[in-house]
Amino acid sequence: MKSLHLVALLGCLAAAVYAAPTEKVRWCVKSDQEYRKCSDLAAAAPTFTCVKKYNTLECIVAIKAGEADAITVDGGDIYTAGLSNYDLQPIIAEDYGSSSETCYYAVAVVKKGSGFGIRDLQGKKSCHTGLGKSAGWNIPIGTLVAMDIIKWNGIEDKPVEEAVSSFFQASCAPGAARGSKLCQLCKGDCSRSHTEPYYDYSGAFKCLAEDAGDVAFVKHLTVPDAQKPNYELLCKDGSRAPIDSYKTCHLAKVPAHAVITRKDQQLASLIWKSLNEVQNFNLFSSEAYAPAKDLMFKDSTQRLVQVPPHTDSFLYLGAEYMSIIRSIKKEQAATSSSAIRWCAVGHAETQKCDLWSINSVTDDTASIECRNAPTVEECLQKIMRKEADVMSVDGGQVYTAGKCGLVPAMVEQYDADKCTSSAEESSSYYAVAVVKKGSGVTWASLKGKKSCHTGMGRTAGWNVPMGLIYNESNDCDFTKFFSSGCAPGADATSPFCRECKGSGKAVGDEAKCKASAEELYYGYAGAFRCLAEGAGDVAFIKHTIVPENTDGTGPDWAQSLRSADFELICPGQGPVPISEFGSCHLAKVPAHAVVTRPETHADVVRILQVQQTMFGTGGSDSSFQMYKSLNGKNLLFKDSTKCLQEVPAGKTYGSFLGEEYMIAMTSLRHCSESTSDLEKSCTFHSCQRA
């Protein structure tokens, strides 16, 4: 019997709320067998009580209304529960052990020797765990549509259920309309509950085992060990593979089932604490209630893992899974394919974006629409949630975006001569450390000095220099290394906010230390200004920033600055002239990239290619310039950008960033403070691909 071994990952939620005797966790169940198990749990652990509803949606409604508190659901239902009309969140994930951890593989199982591949499924009989469930419906149907095996032109053509009914000879998809072909193979009432014998993983497999269907869409742990020799997996390349080859033969890897509840920190703590204290009862076994399986939790669960705080359903599921689920949920596109919604950070970027949007209008339709958020991370969340489509970010933010399932679509090119070449020759730049000439500051004497950073989590300004410092010191507390500094985006109480300037207001300056253009020391030019104005002893920036802001070429604040008054420092070398960045730098790092969701890659590339023909360097329309910032620096794009180049579809963020940079980022991730809340939410499970 598996022992319950509950482990908090990435820290606890808030301080535990100790349950008074009157505090109860009302667990929602959907069948008589599940109610029996829940009642036995309540007898062993009096904190629990049971609420019975007809199906998962009724449970979600009951939790929203405060009539119940918790239920374990799959990804499809996590999506539904996270919609604004329910606003529930995942707080605890199932962990299935070393085979998959807090993820599982969605697979297509068939009987050995039945002789067909995935492209031969038309006319076959199908067994599904339930309509709208991840492994049983969303993933396989989404995959078959994406591979053009099931022909479906979208909801404007017909409902996806109709397309599936036309594709398969007959099916059992519990939860479908009774009397339809999707219920034809079912053994009971075709409900999404245990009153239908072919419901859920074990039911869908039973549907296949009893020859009701030819294929079962289930998770990788569904087939019992003793029966594995009799079954095979259908692979997307048309081949078949043994049941245990799920890591190389699957439809998708998806987030584990999770416990959902209302957005209430005290309630989440009570549920976690109550589950953690269960003794003399095996939460992860349904043997006593046979033939039912997977009651309350999946029987294959090895332990439970606490989800990082503030993780909503969208962050939990990830952008890739959200793309699949939206295509099956029949959602209309929030914007037409003739427009993309750019997410701007702060007031200055929003102003530039609005000007771009006005100039992008042709035939009364704008190609660029603007959304905004106070920080890059909130913009990334808007893109994940399909509230925006695109933004340009630096390498460190490409890394975070990639961990959350977004992809690079285009990359900034800073060498005009290379704009006619492929993106394989895309720009890179040097991360450098700049000091005032004659200051006596060297890399060896940096400890105890004041530092100027472009922003927390930024490539040249944080990830590269702090990664090097961590490798030398093995200490994640960088406040022990630098006495103070400005790293916009740091906690307001941190020494790394002490030297920040804010917007320049005398009082009530909310922009101070914020990661946006309103903070005058934010970004490359801002970090250099921090050094030039004496707020710091060293600035971590890119190699072009000093010449771009000195010798009369910079903005008003920099008019008196001379490039000869600044030097570069680097490990193992004394100060050298600014021009020697090729031999004295901290790292060569990838250019900034435009990121988006995987399914909008093609639209983003197409529209931006047209836009830069009009408004790029040497564009046909001079009314607006994409790569110039009038009320700031590096707004929307870096001002040194000459063009945007396509990143091929399917290229991962890891291959885009390159092995050297990925190693540096992985090293810095030893320091949890260097990992944002967004990245923690996206990476606590292993579903996101590198």
Side-chain angles (χ1 to χ4, degrees):
M1 185 181 283
K2 300 175 207 149
S3 61
L4 174 58
H5 181 46
L6 298 164
V7 178
L9 189 64
L10 297 173
C12 293
L13 288 168
V17 177
Y18 291 94
T22 55
E23 287 185 303
K24 295 282 188 179
V25 174
R26 296 166 297 175
W27 206 274
C28 199
V29 298
K30 304 171 296 181
S31 68
D32 292 338
Q33 303 99 309
E34 207 163 46
Y35 188 81
R36 280 178 53 212
K37 179 175 178 178
C38 182
S39 298
D40 290 345
L41 169 64
T47 305
F48 292 93
T49 186
C50 310
V51 176
K52 185 170 180 287
K53 296 293 179 182
Y54 183 68
N55 57 34
T56 302
L57 186 58
E58 282 193 12
C59 281
I60 289 171
V61 171
I63 295 169
K64 167 67 174 175
E67 298 167 5
D69 298 317
I71 184 177
T72 309
V73 294
D74 87 330
D77 294 321
I78 291 169
Y79 171 85
T80 300
L83 296 174
S84 56
N85 45 331
Y86 304 119
D87 202 29
L88 305 184
Q89 68 175 3
I91 59 166
I92 300 166
E94 294 181 345
D95 186 317
Y96 308 116
S98 58
S99 67
S100 58
E101 298 170 343
T102 53
C103 301
Y104 62 90
Y105 296 88
V107 295
V109 177
V110 292
K111 286 194 171 180
K112 185 177 284 188
S114 49
F116 56 87
I118 195 167
R119 292 193 172 276
D120 308 312
L121 283 176
Q122 186 164 6
K124 300 294 188 292
K125 295 178 290 185
S126 59
C127 305
H128 307 262
T129 60
L131 194 71
K133 291 180 76 70
S134 292
W137 185 266
N138 296 334
I139 297 299
I141 302 308
T143 300
L144 292 173
V145 168
M147 293 175 69
D148 205 33
I149 296 171
I150 292 180
K151 309 292 183 184
W152 184 54
N153 297 321
I155 186 58
E156 297 84 358
D157 177 29
K158 57 188 172 185
V160 69
E161 291 90 342
E162 191 176 318
V164 176
S165 293
S166 301
F167 181 79
F168 291 114
Q169 178 186 330
S171 304
C172 177
R178 294 179 192 180
S180 71
K181 282 182 69 179
L182 293 178
C183 284
Q184 192 173 325
L185 300 182
C186 292
K187 202 170 185 177
D189 60 3
C190 195
S191 67
R192 254 189 56 160
S193 74
H194 292 288
T195 58
E196 166 52 61
Y198 289 169
Y199 168 67
D200 214 354
Y201 298 113
S202 57
F205 176 66
K206 187 177 182 182
C207 166
L208 172 66
E210 294 181 353
D211 290 322
D214 303 309
V215 59
F217 298 111
V218 291
K219 65 182 282 188
H220 69 290
L221 298 171
T222 301
V223 181
D225 288 343
Q227 298 186 49
K228 285 179 180 178
N230 303 321
Y231 294 89
E232 292 178 313
L233 302 176
L234 297 185
C235 309
K236 287 196 285 188
D237 64 2
S239 66
R240 288 186 172 209
I243 292 297
D244 285 332
S245 297
Y246 52 81
K247 288 187 177 181
T248 54
C249 177
H250 57 261
L251 305 181
K253 191 177 182 185
V254 296
H257 292 214
V259 177
I260 55 170
T261 190
R262 296 180 294 283
K263 290 180 178 175
D264 179 331
Q265 197 67 52
Q266 291 189 344
L267 178 58
S269 296
L270 174 63
I271 293 168
W272 172 252
K273 177 175 177 287
S274 300
L275 287 168
N276 199 26
E277 291 179 347
V278 170
Q279 296 179 0
N280 303 318
F281 186 87
N282 191 344
L283 287 173
F284 312 136
S285 173
S286 304
E287 287 180 21
Y289 315 97
K293 293 185 177 181
D294 300 325
L295 302 177
M296 297 183 67
F297 297 93
K298 290 287 152 280
D299 295 342
S300 53
T301 304
Q302 297 291 324
R303 60 176 185 165
L304 300 177
V305 175
Q306 208 165 13
V307 174
H310 315 302
T311 303
D312 63 18
S313 60
F314 299 89
L315 295 181
Y316 181 84
L317 294 171
E320 184 179 22
Y321 182 76
M322 292 298 293
S323 297
I324 294 171
I325 211 170
R326 284 193 182 103
S327 68
I328 303 303
K329 290 289 181 183
K330 309 185 289 259
E331 291 186 356
Q332 298 288 348
T335 185
S336 70
S337 60
S338 62
I340 53 175
R341 296 164 298 174
W342 197 279
C343 195
V345 179
H347 179 67
E349 281 205 347
T350 301
Q351 278 189 314
K352 180 178 177 181
C353 187
D354 288 340
L355 185 60
W356 185 9
S357 179
I358 292 167
N359 281 276
S360 75
V361 173
T362 54
D363 300 326
D364 297 324
T365 301
S367 294
I368 303 296
E369 298 174 7
C370 300
R371 302 293 185 267
N372 64 77
T375 66
V376 170
E377 295 220 333
E378 288 177 73
C379 266
L380 293 177
Q381 289 188 51
K382 281 181 178 283
I383 296 170
M384 291 174 67
R385 293 191 177 110
K386 225 173 183 180
E387 296 167 6
D389 300 312
V390 66
M391 73 182 303
S392 182
V393 295
D394 96 324
Q397 294 155 342
V398 170
Y399 183 90
T400 295
K403 287 292 184 182
C404 292
L406 302 181
V407 297
M410 302 195 82
V411 58
E412 294 179 355
Q413 174 59 262
Y414 312 122
D415 184 344
D417 293 337
K418 292 183 178 176
C419 281
T420 55
S421 63
S422 73
E424 293 303 316
E425 297 180 53
S426 61
S427 286
S428 56
Y429 61 92
Y430 293 96
V432 296
V434 180
V435 298
K436 288 182 177 178
K437 190 171 186 177
S439 66
V441 177
T442 66
W443 186 264
S445 68
L446 269 185
K447 191 167 185 178
K449 301 296 189 293
K450 296 184 294 183
S451 55
C452 302
H453 307 264
T454 59
M456 290 290 289
R458 297 286 295 269
T459 299
W462 187 267
N463 297 335
V464 169
M466 300 319 232
L468 286 171
I469 289 168
Y470 171 79
N471 285 339
E472 292 177 5
S473 67
N474 272 331
D475 191 340
C476 288
D477 186 357
F478 298 118
T479 63
K480 294 178 184 175
F481 191 88
F482 291 113
S483 60
S484 63
C486 179
D491 185 273
T493 62
S494 167
F496 287 112
C497 280
R498 197 175 298 154
E499 309 302 332
C500 290
K501 189 163 187 171
S503 62
K505 291 180 184 176
V507 292
D509 190 357
E510 295 180 357
K512 185 177 173 69
C513 205
K514 291 287 190 294
S516 76
E518 275 64 59
E519 164 57 64
L520 295 177
Y521 288 169
Y522 173 67
Y524 294 113
F528 178 54
R529 183 175 182 177
C530 165
L531 170 69
E533 294 182 351
D537 302 305
V538 60
F540 298 111
I541 51 181
K542 65 171 274 191
H543 69 285
T544 62
I545 296 305
V546 174
E548 286 172 7
N549 289 276
T550 54
D551 303 327
T553 61
D556 291 344
W557 63 264
Q559 284 304 302
S560 63
L561 299 178
R562 298 187 312 128
S563 59
D565 293 334
F566 298 91
E567 296 177 312
L568 301 179
I569 61 172
C570 51
Q573 278 186 252
V576 301
I578 291 296
S579 58
E580 300 297 314
F581 56 83
S583 61
C584 183
H585 57 262
L586 307 184
K588 190 176 182 181
V589 295
H592 289 209
V594 171
V595 294
T596 189
R597 298 180 303 281
E599 78 274 16
T600 51
H601 181 283
D603 285 337
V604 166
V605 170
R606 175 176 52 80
I607 291 170
L608 288 180
Q609 284 174 337
V610 172
Q611 290 297 297
Q612 74 173 355
T613 300
M614 298 166 62
F615 306 118
T617 304
S620 60
D621 192 329
S622 60
S623 59
F624 169 78
Q625 290 183 285
M626 289 169 63
Y627 312 131
K628 277 200 175 175
S629 304
L630 299 178
N631 299 314
K633 292 285 285 184
N634 301 316
L635 302 177
L636 303 183
F637 303 97
K638 288 178 52 55
D639 295 341
S640 54
T641 303
K642 304 303 180 193
C643 67
L644 296 174
Q645 293 174 298
E646 180 179 358
V647 177
K651 186 166 188 173
T652 64
Y653 74 96
S655 58
F656 171 79
L657 292 173
E659 184 178 4
E660 185 181 40
Y661 187 67
M662 289 293 286
I663 290 171
M665 290 297 291
T666 303
S667 172
L668 192 58
R669 286 308 182 260
H670 286 111
C671 304
S672 64
E673 290 76 15
S674 295
T675 307
S676 66
D677 286 344
L678 174 60
E679 193 175 316
K680 287 175 183 175
S681 293
C682 292
T683 58
F684 92 99
H685 57 59
S686 57
C687 302
Q688 303 294 359
R689 298 192 192 110

